[in-house]
Coordinates of all heavy atoms in Angstrom, one line a residue:
M825 N 7.2 43.5 -52.5 CA 7.4 43.2 -51.1 C 8.8 43.1 -50.7 O 9.6 42.4 -51.4 CB 6.7 41.8 -50.8 CG 6.2 41.6 -49.4 SD 5.3 40.1 -49.2 CE 6.6 39.0 -48.5
T826 N 9.2 43.7 -49.7 CA 10.6 43.6 -49.2 C 10.8 42.4 -48.3 O 9.9 42.2 -47.4 CB 11.1 44.9 -48.5 OG1 10.0 45.3 -47.6 CG2 11.4 46.0 -49.5
V827 N 11.8 41.7 -48.5 CA 12.1 40.6 -47.6 C 13.0 41.0 -46.5 O 14.1 41.5 -46.7 CB 12.8 39.5 -48.4 CG1 13.1 38.3 -47.5 CG2 12.0 39.1 -49.6
K828 N 12.4 40.9 -45.3 CA 13.1 41.3 -44.1 C 13.7 40.1 -43.4 O 13.2 39.0 -43.5 CB 12.2 42.1 -43.2 CG 12.0 43.5 -43.5 CD 11.4 44.2 -42.4 CE 11.2 45.7 -42.7 NZ 10.2 46.3 -41.9
N829 N 14.8 40.4 -42.8 CA 15.5 39.3 -42.1 C 14.9 39.3 -40.7 O 15.3 40.0 -39.8 CB 17.0 39.7 -42.0 CG 17.8 38.4 -42.1 OD1 17.3 37.3 -42.1 ND2 19.1 38.6 -42.2
I830 N 13.8 38.5 -40.5 CA 13.2 38.4 -39.2 C 13.9 37.4 -38.3 O 14.3 36.4 -38.7 CB 11.7 38.0 -39.3 CG1 11.5 36.8 -40.2 CG2 10.9 39.2 -39.7 CD1 10.1 36.2 -40.2
P831 N 14.1 37.8 -37.0 CA 14.8 36.9 -36.1 C 14.0 35.7 -35.8 O 12.8 35.7 -35.6 CB 14.9 37.8 -34.8 CG 14.0 38.9 -35.0 CD 13.6 39.1 -36.4
M832 N 14.7 34.5 -36.0 CA 14.1 33.2 -35.8 C 14.6 32.6 -34.5 O 15.8 32.8 -34.2 CB 14.3 32.3 -37.0 CG 13.9 32.9 -38.3 SD 12.1 32.8 -38.5 CE 11.9 31.1 -39.1
R833 N 13.8 31.9 -33.8 CA 14.3 31.2 -32.6 C 13.8 29.8 -32.6 O 12.7 29.5 -33.1 CB 13.7 31.9 -31.4 CG 14.3 33.2 -31.1 CD 15.8 33.2 -30.8 NE 16.4 34.5 -30.6 CZ 17.0 35.2 -31.5 NH1 17.1 34.8 -32.7 NH2 17.5 36.4 -31.2
R834 N 14.5 28.9 -32.0 CA 14.1 27.5 -32.0 C 13.3 27.2 -30.8 O 13.7 27.5 -29.7 CB 15.4 26.6 -32.0 CG 15.0 25.1 -32.1 CD 16.2 24.2 -32.1 NE 16.9 24.2 -33.4 CZ 17.9 23.4 -33.6 NH1 18.3 22.6 -32.7 NH2 18.4 23.3 -34.8
C835 N 12.2 26.5 -31.0 CA 11.3 26.1 -29.9 C 11.9 24.9 -29.1 O 12.4 24.0 -29.7 CB 9.9 25.8 -30.5 SG 8.8 24.9 -29.4
V836 N 11.8 25.0 -27.8 CA 12.3 23.9 -27.0 C 11.5 22.7 -27.1 O 12.0 21.5 -26.9 CB 12.3 24.4 -25.5 CG1 12.8 23.3 -24.6 CG2 13.2 25.6 -25.3
G837 N 10.2 22.8 -27.5 CA 9.3 21.7 -27.6 C 9.5 20.9 -28.9 O 9.9 19.8 -29.0
C838 N 9.2 21.6 -30.0 CA 9.2 21.0 -31.3 C 10.6 21.1 -32.0 O 10.8 20.4 -33.1 CB 8.1 21.5 -32.2 SG 8.3 23.3 -32.6
M839 N 11.5 21.9 -31.5 CA 12.8 22.0 -32.1 C 12.8 22.7 -33.5 O 13.8 22.6 -34.2 CB 13.6 20.7 -32.1 CG 13.7 20.0 -30.8 SD 14.5 20.9 -29.5 CE 16.2 20.6 -30.0
E840 N 11.7 23.3 -33.8 CA 11.6 24.0 -35.1 C 11.8 25.5 -34.9 O 11.5 26.0 -33.8 CB 10.3 23.8 -35.8 CG 10.1 22.4 -36.4 CD 8.7 22.0 -36.7 OE1 7.9 23.0 -36.9 OE2 8.4 20.8 -36.8
S841 N 12.3 26.2 -35.9 CA 12.5 27.6 -35.8 C 11.3 28.4 -36.3 O 10.7 28.0 -37.3 CB 13.7 28.0 -36.6 OG 14.9 27.5 -36.0
H842 N 11.0 29.4 -35.5 CA 9.8 30.2 -35.9 C 10.2 31.7 -35.6 O 11.2 31.9 -34.8 CB 8.6 29.8 -35.0 CG 8.1 28.5 -35.3 ND1 7.4 28.1 -36.4 CD2 8.3 27.3 -34.6 CE1 7.1 26.8 -36.4 NE2 7.7 26.3 -35.3
P843 N 9.4 32.6 -36.1 CA 9.7 34.1 -35.8 C 9.7 34.3 -34.3 O 8.7 33.9 -33.7 CB 8.6 34.8 -36.6 CG 8.2 33.9 -37.7 CD 8.3 32.5 -37.1
Q844 N 10.7 35.0 -33.9 CA 10.8 35.3 -32.4 C 9.5 35.9 -31.9 O 9.1 35.7 -30.7 CB 12.0 36.1 -32.2 CG 12.3 36.4 -30.7 CD 13.5 37.3 -30.6 OE1 14.3 37.4 -31.5 NE2 13.7 37.9 -29.4
K845 N 8.9 36.8 -32.7 CA 7.8 37.6 -32.1 C 6.6 36.7 -31.9 O 5.7 37.1 -31.1 CB 7.4 38.7 -33.1 CG 6.9 38.2 -34.5 CD 6.4 39.4 -35.3 CE 6.2 39.0 -36.8 NZ 5.3 37.9 -36.9
D846 N 6.5 35.5 -32.5 CA 5.4 34.6 -32.2 C 5.7 33.6 -31.1 O 4.9 32.7 -30.8 CB 5.2 33.7 -33.5 CG 4.7 34.6 -34.7 OD1 4.2 35.7 -34.4 OD2 4.9 34.2 -35.8
M847 N 6.8 33.8 -30.4 CA 7.1 32.9 -29.4 C 7.2 33.5 -28.0 O 7.2 34.7 -27.8 CB 8.5 32.2 -29.7 CG 8.4 31.7 -31.1 SD 10.0 30.9 -31.6 CE 9.8 29.3 -30.8
I848 N 7.2 32.6 -27.0 CA 7.3 33.0 -25.6 C 8.7 32.7 -25.1 O 9.2 31.6 -25.3 CB 6.3 32.3 -24.7 CG1 4.9 32.3 -25.3 CG2 6.3 32.8 -23.3 CD1 3.9 31.5 -24.5
R849 N 9.2 33.7 -24.4 CA 10.6 33.5 -23.9 C 10.6 33.1 -22.4 O 9.8 33.6 -21.7 CB 11.4 34.9 -24.1 CG 12.8 34.8 -23.7 CD 13.5 36.1 -24.2 NE 14.9 36.1 -23.9 CZ 15.5 36.7 -22.9 NH1 14.8 37.4 -22.0 NH2 16.8 36.6 -22.7
V850 N 11.5 32.3 -22.1 CA 11.8 32.0 -20.7 C 13.2 32.3 -20.4 O 14.1 31.9 -21.1 CB 11.5 30.5 -20.4 CG1 12.0 30.1 -19.0 CG2 10.0 30.2 -20.5
A851 N 13.4 33.1 -19.4 CA 14.8 33.7 -19.1 C 15.3 33.1 -17.8 O 14.6 32.8 -16.8 CB 14.7 35.2 -19.0
W852 N 16.6 32.9 -17.8 CA 17.4 32.4 -16.7 C 18.5 33.5 -16.4 O 19.3 33.7 -17.2 CB 18.0 31.1 -17.0 CG 19.1 30.7 -16.1 CD1 20.4 30.6 -16.4 CD2 19.0 30.3 -14.7 NE1 21.2 30.2 -15.3 CE2 20.3 30.0 -14.3 CE3 18.0 30.1 -13.8 CZ2 20.6 29.5 -13.0 CZ3 18.2 29.7 -12.5 CH2 19.5 29.4 -12.1
D853 N 18.3 34.1 -15.3 CA 19.3 35.3 -15.0 C 20.4 34.8 -14.1 O 21.2 35.7 -13.6 CB 18.5 36.4 -14.4 CG 18.0 36.1 -13.0 OD1 18.2 35.0 -12.5 OD2 17.3 37.0 -12.4
G854 N 20.6 33.5 -13.9 CA 21.6 33.0 -13.0 C 21.1 32.7 -11.6 O 21.8 32.0 -10.8
E855 N 19.9 33.1 -11.3 CA 19.4 32.9 -10.0 C 18.0 32.2 -10.1 O 17.7 31.3 -9.3 CB 19.2 34.2 -9.2 CG 20.5 34.5 -8.5 CD 20.4 35.9 -7.8 OE1 19.2 36.2 -7.4 OE2 21.4 36.5 -7.6
R856 N 17.2 32.7 -11.0 CA 15.9 32.1 -11.1 C 15.4 32.1 -12.5 O 15.8 32.9 -13.4 CB 14.9 32.8 -10.2 CG 14.7 34.2 -10.4 CD 13.8 34.8 -9.4 NE 12.4 34.4 -9.5 CZ 11.5 35.0 -10.3 NH1 11.8 36.1 -10.9 NH2 10.3 34.5 -10.3
L857 N 14.4 31.2 -12.8 CA 13.8 31.1 -14.1 C 12.6 31.9 -14.1 O 11.9 32.1 -13.0 CB 13.3 29.6 -14.3 CG 14.4 28.6 -14.8 CD1 13.8 27.2 -14.7 CD2 14.8 28.9 -16.2
A858 N 12.3 32.6 -15.2 CA 11.1 33.4 -15.2 C 10.5 33.4 -16.6 O 11.2 33.4 -17.6 CB 11.4 34.8 -14.8
V859 N 9.2 33.3 -16.7 CA 8.5 33.5 -18.0 C 8.6 35.0 -18.3 O 8.2 35.8 -17.6 CB 7.0 33.1 -17.9 CG1 6.4 33.3 -19.3 CG2 6.9 31.6 -17.6
D860 N 9.2 35.3 -19.5 CA 9.5 36.6 -19.8 C 8.5 37.2 -20.8 O 8.6 37.1 -22.0 CB 10.9 36.7 -20.5 CG 11.3 38.0 -21.0 OD1 10.7 39.0 -20.5 OD2 12.3 38.1 -21.7
T861 N 7.4 37.8 -20.2 CA 6.3 38.2 -21.1 C 6.7 39.5 -21.8 O 6.1 39.8 -22.8 CB 5.1 38.5 -20.2 OG1 5.4 39.2 -19.1 CG2 4.4 37.1 -19.8
T862 N 7.7 40.2 -21.4 CA 8.1 41.5 -22.1 C 9.1 41.2 -23.2 O 9.3 42.0 -24.0 CB 8.7 42.5 -21.1 OG1 9.9 41.9 -20.6 CG2 7.7 42.8 -20.0
G863 N 9.8 40.1 -23.1 CA 10.8 39.8 -24.0 C 12.1 40.5 -23.7 O 13.1 40.5 -24.5
R864 N 12.2 41.1 -22.6 CA 13.3 42.0 -22.3 C 14.0 41.6 -20.9 O 14.9 42.3 -20.5 CB 13.0 43.4 -22.3 CG 13.1 44.0 -23.7 CD 12.8 45.5 -23.6 NE 11.7 45.9 -24.4 CZ 10.7 46.6 -24.1 NH1 10.7 47.2 -22.9 NH2 9.7 46.9 -24.9
A865 N 13.6 40.5 -20.3 CA 14.2 40.1 -19.1 C 15.6 39.8 -19.3 O 16.0 39.3 -20.4 CB 13.5 38.9 -18.5
K866 N 16.4 40.1 -18.3 CA 17.9 39.9 -18.5 C 18.2 38.4 -18.4 O 17.4 37.6 -17.8 CB 18.7 40.7 -17.5 CG 18.5 40.3 -16.1 CD 19.3 41.3 -15.2 CE 19.0 41.2 -13.8 NZ 19.8 40.4 -13.0
G867 N 19.4 38.0 -18.8 CA 19.8 36.7 -18.8 C 19.6 35.9 -20.1 O 19.2 36.5 -21.1
R868 N 19.9 34.7 -20.0 CA 19.8 33.8 -21.2 C 18.3 33.5 -21.4 O 17.6 33.3 -20.5 CB 20.6 32.5 -21.0 CG 22.0 32.6 -21.3 CD 22.6 31.2 -21.5 NE 21.9 30.5 -22.5 CZ 21.9 29.1 -22.7 NH1 22.5 28.4 -21.8 NH2 21.3 28.6 -23.7
G869 N 18.0 33.4 -22.6 CA 16.6 33.0 -22.9 C 16.4 31.8 -23.8 O 17.3 31.5 -24.6
V870 N 15.3 31.1 -23.6 CA 14.9 30.0 -24.6 C 13.5 30.3 -25.0 O 12.8 31.1 -24.3 CB 15.1 28.6 -23.9 CG1 16.5 28.3 -23.7 CG2 14.2 28.5 -22.7
Y871 N 13.1 29.7 -26.0 CA 11.8 30.1 -26.6 C 10.9 28.9 -26.8 O 11.3 27.8 -27.0 CB 12.1 30.7 -28.0 CG 12.8 32.1 -27.8 CD1 14.1 32.1 -27.7 CD2 12.0 33.3 -27.8 CE1 14.8 33.3 -27.5 CE2 12.7 34.5 -27.6 CZ 14.1 34.5 -27.5 OH 14.7 35.7 -27.3
F872 N 9.6 29.2 -26.7 CA 8.5 28.2 -26.9 C 7.5 28.7 -27.9 O 7.2 29.9 -27.9 CB 7.8 27.9 -25.6 CG 8.7 27.3 -24.6 CD1 9.5 28.1 -23.8 CD2 8.7 25.9 -24.4 CE1 10.3 27.5 -22.8 CE2 9.5 25.4 -23.4 CZ 10.3 26.1 -22.6
C873 N 6.9 27.8 -28.7 CA 5.8 28.2 -29.6 C 4.6 28.5 -28.6 O 4.5 27.9 -27.5 CB 5.4 27.0 -30.5 SG 6.6 26.5 -31.7
R874 N 3.7 29.2 -29.2 CA 2.5 29.5 -28.4 C 1.5 28.5 -28.5 O 0.3 28.7 -29.0 CB 1.9 30.9 -28.8 CG 2.8 32.0 -28.4 CD 2.1 33.4 -28.8 NE 3.0 34.5 -28.4 CZ 2.9 35.0 -27.1 NH1 2.1 34.5 -26.2 NH2 3.7 36.0 -26.8
N875 N 1.8 27.2 -28.2 CA 0.8 26.2 -28.2 C 1.1 25.2 -27.1 O 2.3 24.9 -26.8 CB 0.5 25.6 -29.6 CG 1.7 24.8 -30.0 OD1 2.1 23.8 -29.4 ND2 2.3 25.2 -31.1
S876 N 0.1 24.6 -26.5 CA 0.2 23.7 -25.4 C 1.0 22.5 -25.8 O 1.7 21.9 -24.9 CB -1.1 23.4 -24.7 OG -2.0 22.9 -25.7
E877 N 0.9 22.0 -27.0 CA 1.5 20.8 -27.5 C 3.1 21.0 -27.3 O 3.7 20.1 -26.7 CB 1.2 20.6 -28.9 CG 1.3 19.2 -29.4 CD 0.9 19.1 -30.9 OE1 -0.2 19.5 -31.2 OE2 1.8 18.7 -31.6
C878 N 3.6 22.1 -27.7 CA 5.1 22.3 -27.6 C 5.5 22.4 -26.2 O 6.5 21.9 -25.8 CB 5.5 23.5 -28.4 SG 5.4 23.3 -30.2
I879 N 4.7 23.0 -25.4 CA 5.0 23.2 -24.0 C 5.0 21.9 -23.2 O 5.9 21.6 -22.5 CB 4.1 24.3 -23.4 CG1 4.4 25.6 -24.0 CG2 4.3 24.4 -21.9 CD1 3.4 26.7 -23.8
E880 N 4.0 21.1 -23.5 CA 3.9 19.7 -22.9 C 5.1 18.9 -23.3 O 5.6 18.1 -22.5 CB 2.6 19.0 -23.3 CG 1.3 19.7 -22.8 CD 1.0 19.5 -21.3 OE1 1.8 18.8 -20.6 OE2 -0.1 19.9 -20.9
K881 N 5.4 19.0 -24.6 CA 6.5 18.2 -25.1 C 7.8 18.6 -24.4 O 8.6 17.7 -24.0 CB 6.6 18.4 -26.6 CG 7.3 17.3 -27.4 CD 7.4 17.6 -28.8 CE 6.1 17.3 -29.6 NZ 6.3 17.7 -31.1
A882 N 8.0 19.9 -24.3 CA 9.2 20.4 -23.6 C 9.2 19.9 -22.1 O 10.3 19.6 -21.6 CB 9.3 21.9 -23.7
K883 N 8.1 19.9 -21.5 CA 8.0 19.5 -20.1 C 8.4 18.1 -20.0 O 9.2 17.7 -19.1 CB 6.5 19.8 -19.6 CG 6.3 19.5 -18.2 CD 4.9 19.7 -17.7 CE 4.7 19.3 -16.3 NZ 3.3 19.6 -15.9
K884 N 7.8 17.2 -20.8 CA 8.1 15.8 -20.8 C 9.6 15.5 -21.0 O 10.2 14.6 -20.4 CB 7.3 15.0 -21.8 CG 5.9 14.7 -21.3 CD 5.3 13.6 -22.1 CE 3.7 13.7 -21.9 NZ 3.1 14.4 -23.0
S885 N 10.2 16.2 -21.9 CA 11.6 16.0 -22.2 C 12.6 16.8 -21.3 O 13.8 16.8 -21.6 CB 11.9 16.3 -23.7 OG 11.7 17.7 -23.9
R886 N 12.0 17.4 -20.3 CA 12.8 18.3 -19.4 C 13.6 19.3 -20.2 O 14.8 19.4 -20.0 CB 13.7 17.4 -18.5 CG 13.1 16.1 -18.0 CD 12.7 16.1 -16.5 NE 13.6 16.6 -15.5 CZ 13.2 17.5 -14.6 NH1 12.0 18.0 -14.6 NH2 14.0 17.9 -13.7
G887 N 12.9 19.9 -21.1 CA 13.5 20.8 -22.1 C 14.2 22.0 -21.5 O 15.2 22.4 -22.1
L888 N 13.8 22.5 -20.4 CA 14.4 23.6 -19.8 C 15.8 23.3 -19.3 O 16.8 24.0 -19.5 CB 13.6 24.2 -18.7 CG 12.4 25.1 -19.1 CD1 11.6 25.5 -17.9 CD2 12.9 26.4 -19.8
N889 N 15.9 22.1 -18.7 CA 17.2 21.6 -18.2 C 18.2 21.4 -19.3 O 19.3 21.8 -19.3 CB 17.0 20.3 -17.4 CG 16.2 20.5 -16.2 OD1 15.3 21.2 -16.2 ND2 16.6 19.8 -15.1
R890 N 17.6 20.9 -20.4 CA 18.5 20.6 -21.6 C 18.9 21.9 -22.2 O 20.1 22.0 -22.6 CB 17.6 19.7 -22.6 CG 18.5 18.9 -23.5 CD 17.5 18.2 -24.5 NE 16.6 19.1 -25.1 CZ 15.3 18.9 -25.4 NH1 14.8 17.7 -25.1 NH2 14.6 19.8 -25.9
S891 N 18.0 22.8 -22.4 CA 18.4 24.1 -23.1 C 19.3 24.9 -22.3 O 20.2 25.5 -22.9 CB 17.1 24.9 -23.4 OG 16.2 24.1 -24.2
F892 N 19.1 25.0 -21.0 CA 20.0 25.8 -20.2 C 21.2 25.0 -19.7 O 22.1 25.6 -19.0 CB 19.3 26.4 -19.0 CG 18.3 27.5 -19.4 CD1 17.0 27.4 -19.2 CD2 18.9 28.7 -19.9 CE1 16.1 28.5 -19.6 CE2 18.0 29.8 -20.2 CZ 16.6 29.6 -20.1
K893 N 21.2 23.7 -19.9 CA 22.3 22.8 -19.4 C 22.5 23.0 -17.9 O 23.6 23.1 -17.4 CB 23.6 23.1 -20.2 CG 23.5 22.8 -21.6 CD 24.9 22.9 -22.3 CE 24.9 22.4 -23.7 NZ 24.0 23.3 -24.6
R894 N 21.3 22.9 -17.2 CA 21.4 23.0 -15.8 C 20.4 22.0 -15.1 O 19.5 21.5 -15.8 CB 20.9 24.4 -15.3 CG 21.8 25.5 -15.8 CD 21.5 26.8 -15.0 NE 21.8 26.6 -13.6 CZ 22.9 27.0 -13.1 NH1 23.9 27.4 -13.8 NH2 23.1 26.8 -11.8
G895 N 20.7 21.7 -13.9 CA 19.8 20.7 -13.2 C 18.8 21.4 -12.4 O 18.8 21.3 -11.1
F896 N 17.8 22.0 -13.0 CA 16.7 22.6 -12.3 C 15.9 21.5 -11.6 O 15.7 20.4 -12.2 CB 15.8 23.4 -13.2 CG 16.5 24.5 -13.9 CD1 16.5 24.6 -15.3 CD2 17.0 25.6 -13.2 CE1 17.1 25.7 -15.9 CE2 17.7 26.6 -13.8 CZ 17.7 26.7 -15.2
S897 N 15.3 21.8 -10.5 CA 14.4 20.9 -9.8 C 13.1 20.8 -10.6 O 12.8 21.7 -11.3 CB 14.2 21.3 -8.4 OG 13.3 22.4 -8.4
E898 N 12.4 19.7 -10.4 CA 11.2 19.5 -11.1 C 10.1 20.6 -10.7 O 9.4 21.1 -11.5 CB 10.6 18.1 -10.8 CG 9.8 17.6 -12.0 CD 9.9 16.1 -12.1 OE1 11.0 15.5 -11.9 OE2 8.8 15.5 -12.4
E899 N 10.2 20.9 -9.4 CA 9.3 22.0 -8.9 C 9.5 23.3 -9.6 O 8.5 24.0 -10.0 CB 9.5 22.2 -7.4 CG 8.9 21.1 -6.5 CD 9.8 21.0 -5.3 OE1 10.1 22.0 -4.7 OE2 10.1 19.8 -4.9
E900 N 10.7 23.6 -9.8 CA 11.1 24.9 -10.4 C 10.6 24.9 -11.8 O 10.0 25.9 -12.3 CB 12.6 25.0 -10.4 CG 13.2 26.4 -10.3 CD 14.7 26.4 -10.1 OE1 15.3 25.3 -10.0 OE2 15.2 27.5 -9.9
T901 N 10.9 23.9 -12.6 CA 10.5 23.9 -14.0 C 9.0 23.7 -14.2 O 8.4 24.3 -15.0 CB 11.2 22.8 -14.8 OG1 11.1 21.6 -14.2 CG2 12.7 23.2 -14.9
D902 N 8.4 22.9 -13.3 CA 6.9 22.7 -13.3 C 6.2 24.0 -13.2 O 5.2 24.3 -13.9 CB 6.4 21.8 -12.2 CG 6.6 20.3 -12.7 OD1 7.1 20.1 -13.8 OD2 6.1 19.4 -11.9
G903 N 6.6 24.9 -12.3 CA 6.0 26.2 -12.1 C 6.1 27.0 -13.4 O 5.1 27.7 -13.8
I904 N 7.2 27.0 -14.1 CA 7.3 27.7 -15.4 C 6.4 27.1 -16.4 O 5.7 27.9 -17.1 CB 8.8 27.6 -15.8 CG1 9.7 28.3 -14.9 CG2 9.0 28.2 -17.3 CD1 9.5 29.8 -14.8
F905 N 6.4 25.8 -16.5 CA 5.5 25.2 -17.5 C 4.0 25.5 -17.3 O 3.3 25.7 -18.2 CB 5.8 23.7 -17.6 CG 7.1 23.3 -18.3 CD1 8.0 22.6 -17.7 CD2 7.3 23.7 -19.6 CE1 9.2 22.3 -18.3 CE2 8.5 23.4 -20.3 CZ 9.4 22.7 -19.6
R906 N 3.7 25.5 -16.0 CA 2.3 25.8 -15.7 C 2.0 27.3 -16.1 O 0.9 27.5 -16.7 CB 2.1 25.7 -14.1 CG 0.7 25.3 -13.8 CD 0.6 25.0 -12.3 NE 1.6 24.1 -11.8 CZ 2.4 24.3 -10.7 NH1 2.3 25.4 -10.0 NH2 3.3 23.4 -10.4
E907 N 2.9 28.2 -15.9 CA 2.7 29.6 -16.3 C 2.6 29.7 -17.8 O 1.7 30.4 -18.3 CB 3.9 30.4 -15.8 CG 3.5 31.6 -15.0 CD 4.8 32.3 -14.5 OE1 5.5 31.9 -13.6 OE2 5.0 33.4 -15.1
L908 N 3.4 28.9 -18.5 CA 3.4 29.0 -20.0 C 2.1 28.4 -20.5 O 1.5 29.0 -21.4 CB 4.6 28.1 -20.5 CG 6.0 28.7 -20.4 CD1 7.0 27.6 -20.8 CD2 6.1 29.9 -21.3
L909 N 1.6 27.3 -19.9 CA 0.4 26.7 -20.4 C -0.8 27.7 -20.1 O -1.7 27.8 -21.0 CB 0.1 25.4 -19.6 CG 1.0 24.3 -20.1 CD1 0.8 23.1 -19.2 CD2 0.6 23.8 -21.6
M910 N -0.8 28.4 -19.0 CA -1.8 29.4 -18.7 C -1.8 30.5 -19.8 O -2.8 30.9 -20.3 CB -1.6 30.0 -17.4 CG -2.5 29.3 -16.3 SD -1.8 29.5 -14.6 CE -1.7 31.3 -14.6
L911 N -0.6 30.9 -20.2 CA -0.4 32.0 -21.2 C -1.0 31.6 -22.5 O -1.7 32.3 -23.2 CB 1.0 32.3 -21.4 CG 1.7 33.3 -20.4 CD1 3.1 33.4 -20.6 CD2 1.0 34.7 -20.6
V912 N -0.7 30.4 -23.0 CA -1.2 30.0 -24.3 C -2.7 29.6 -24.3 O -3.4 29.7 -25.3 CB -0.4 28.8 -24.9 CG1 1.0 29.1 -25.1 CG2 -0.6 27.5 -24.0
K913 N -3.3 29.3 -23.1 CA -4.7 29.0 -23.1 C -5.5 30.3 -23.1 O -6.7 30.3 -23.4 CB -5.0 28.2 -21.8 CG -4.9 26.7 -22.1 CD -4.8 25.8 -20.9 CE -4.3 24.4 -21.3 NZ -4.0 23.6 -20.2
E914 N -4.9 31.4 -22.7 CA -5.6 32.7 -22.7 C -5.9 33.2 -24.2 O -6.8 33.9 -24.4 CB -4.8 33.8 -22.0 CG -5.0 33.8 -20.5 CD -4.0 34.7 -19.8 OE1 -3.4 35.5 -20.5 OE2 -3.8 34.4 -18.6
V915 N -5.0 32.8 -25.1 CA -5.1 33.3 -26.5 C -6.4 32.7 -27.2 O -6.7 31.5 -27.0 CB -3.9 32.9 -27.3 CG1 -4.0 33.4 -28.7 CG2 -2.6 33.4 -26.6
Ligands
ZN2429 ZN1 7.2 24.4 -31.0

């Protein structure tokens, strides 16, 4: 078995690192936040595990504001968290 260097990303919720391919990206392009389902949206990205626990945790700790170091409004981030929760519930 060859050991590959798989890209790891830290989850905003649990703060643990996991393979990037198992995670959901949220991008900030300087104007708006978006759940990046393609993984290719421009801008800075942060990552979440695909489980509601991590997403709820990140929501409670205002993790998006912390990760992007910005003062997003609650409405803005709530919309993103709602979208993320819908995504993980589909699986
Ligand atoms: Zn997590």
Side-chain angles (χ1 to χ4, degrees):
M825 206 176 101
T826 43
V827 182
K828 276 193 182 163
N829 217 353
I830 47 168
M832 304 285 276
R833 291 293 179 267
R834 185 184 280 189
C835 167
V836 178
C838 63
M839 307 298 282
E840 283 167 24
S841 290
H842 296 283
Q844 184 180 342
K845 64 175 169 56
D846 296 336
M847 306 182 79
I848 308 174
R849 183 171 185 258
V850 170
W852 163 250
D853 67 1
E855 278 178 24
R856 57 186 292 269
L857 282 168
V859 178
D860 177 15
T861 48
T862 63
R864 272 186 241 133
K866 65 183 168 100
R868 277 197 60 198
V870 294
Y871 294 82
F872 294 84
C873 298
R874 289 183 179 275
N875 67 64
S876 52
E877 206 179 300
C878 287
I879 294 164
E880 295 281 8
K881 205 182 277 180
K883 184 179 174 179
K884 276 197 201 97
S885 65
R886 319 256 315 129
L888 281 174
N889 295 39
R890 204 183 50 219
S891 300
F892 285 116
K893 297 187 171 65
R894 296 193 64 92
F896 297 122
S897 72
E898 212 152 319
E899 287 147 43
E900 208 169 5
T901 53
D902 274 4
I904 295 294
F905 285 121
R906 209 174 309 131
E907 235 179 286
L908 288 171
L909 285 168
M910 265 158 51
L911 276 174
V912 298
K913 272 165 194 167
E914 275 168 21
V915 182

